[in-house]
Amino acid sequence: QVQLQESGPGLVKASETLSLTCTVSGGSTTTNYYYWTWIRQPPGKELEWIGNIPFTGSTTYSPSLKSRTSISRDTSKNQFTLQLTSVTPEDTAVYYCAREVRVTATGVRYFDVWGQGTQVTVSS
């Protein structure tokens, strides 16, 4: 059974870089057709997709966050990492890592595994 666990500081100062790591257990970040994803939910708002790194190792980012976002992976540790630069209080949110499944034959996509989420607060 695949499990995801986010880790990282819960408090970041404005203008600094937010760094979070997602550790994957029971599975591999290089397994075909899985997309390892970061998602966040600011207080009182809907979930916001940040970006992903699929089994190929390439990355895709939300256009609104692309200039400040970097997602990478360490296959030896079975981890993938989010870095968000120049944070502001608007980046305060619960950050989730999740696994997206893409079924090539049907085009169906869905998230099947989520981490528990980690609160990150940006202080001004």
Side-chain angles (χ1 to χ4, degrees), residues 6-20:
E6 305 92 348
S7 60
L11 184 63
V12 183
K13 294 181 180 179
S15 79
E16 294 186 344
T17 297
L18 178 162
S19 294
L20 296 174

Side-chain angles (χ1 to χ4, degrees), residues 66-124:
K66 184 176 183 179
S67 65
R68 300 193 291 127
T69 306
S70 177
I71 297 175
S72 60
R73 68 179 179 181
D74 185 333
T75 56
S76 67
K77 295 182 180 179
N78 222 18
Q79 295 175 333
F80 61 105
T81 300
L82 168 70
Q83 289 196 318
L84 185 65
T85 63
S86 304
V87 297
T88 72
E90 292 188 346
D91 293 309
T92 294
V94 177
Y95 285 76
Y96 298 92
C97 57
R99 186 177 76 173
E100 181 186 4
V101 181
R102 296 188 181 182
V103 183
T104 304
T106 62
V108 172
R109 302 179 177 185
Y110 58 93
F111 295 101
D112 67 335
V113 183
W114 290 75
Q116 64 182 20
T118 187
Q119 173 70 47
V120 177
T121 300
V122 179
S123 63
S124 58

